Amino acid sequence: MAYSIHHDLLIKAPIHKIFEAITEPEHLINWWPLKCEGIPKENEDYNFFFTSEYNWYGKVIKLEKNKSFYIKMTKSDADWDPTSFGFDLEKQKGDVLIKFWHVGWPECNAHFRGSSYCWAMLLNGLKNYVEKGIVVPFKERE
């Protein structure tokens, strides 16, 4: 049995601005990793650098402009390697609903539970970044 994380949030911003924030490395570093490299295109690799101990990689498995962005982890740790995460974007009366998911967790362990909490906090950071231009310093991110 695999475990899954799911979070939904509304963002009051143009959909293209949100899509850039979740796909473009120069925007990702403002709410998630310390450093990031990658090209938003299917089958391209992304490097998510948090620290030298957490220098992780994933591959884009789906990209539909202003609609969806999915990553399959390829080099991370034992809990994250079998997982994939993604964002589905839907327009809703001037807002955008983000349906975030992170699936394929092998266990409902402390890492899984902690990652669910961290994703919730990071997605709130994404919302504040896109709506208000707020960048939480990396060391203060969950």
Side-chain angles (χ1 to χ4, degrees), residues 89-114:
L89 309 178
E90 297 176 8
K91 288 184 183 181
Q92 287 198 346
K93 297 181 184 175
D95 296 340
V96 176
L97 175 65
I98 295 180
K99 292 183 175 181
F100 172 83
W101 50 267
H102 190 165
V103 300
W105 287 82
E107 294 182 71
C108 182
N109 57 17
H111 192 186
F112 167 81
R113 291 188 303 278

Side-chain angles (χ1 to χ4, degrees), residues 31-141:
W31 66 272
W32 187 29
L34 177 62
K35 298 177 191 169
C36 185
E37 293 180 11
I39 298 168
K41 188 175 169 186
E42 285 187 15
N43 296 312
E44 291 290 332
D45 293 318
Y46 271 68
N47 174 215
F48 305 105
F49 180 91
F50 303 93
T51 66
S52 56
E53 186 181 341
Y54 297 96
N55 186 18
W56 292 358
Y57 291 83
K59 181 176 288 298
V60 179
I61 56 173
K62 181 178 179 184
L63 183 137
E64 212 174 323
K65 189 172 173 84
N66 298 329
K67 196 165 186 173
S68 58
F69 182 63
Y70 302 174
I71 296 276
K72 166 68 179 98
M73 295 307 293
T74 56
K75 181 184 169 198
S76 50
D77 70 15
D79 287 330
W80 277 62
D81 270 351
T83 70
S84 299
F85 66 88
F87 303 82
D88 290 302
L89 309 178
E90 297 176 8
K91 288 184 183 181
Q92 287 198 346
K93 297 181 184 175
D95 296 340
V96 176
L97 175 65
I98 295 180
K99 292 183 175 181
F100 172 83
W101 50 267
H102 190 165
V103 300
W105 287 82
E107 294 182 71
C108 182
N109 57 17
H111 192 186
F112 167 81
R113 291 188 303 278
S115 292
S116 180
Y117 172 79
C118 286
W119 274 123
M121 299 301 290
L122 290 164
L123 292 168
N124 188 58
L126 166 64
K127 178 180 174 71
N128 286 325
Y129 171 64
V130 175
E131 288 182 352
K132 303 172 187 169
I134 296 170
V135 176
V136 175
F138 179 75
K139 291 183 189 235
E140 295 176 22
R141 297 177 201 160

Side-chain angles (χ1 to χ4, degrees), residues 19-35:
F19 192 76
E20 287 173 357
I22 63 173
T23 61
E24 298 285 346
E26 64 268 23
H27 293 289
L28 282 161
I29 61 171
N30 290 317
W31 66 272
W32 187 29
L34 177 62
K35 298 177 191 169

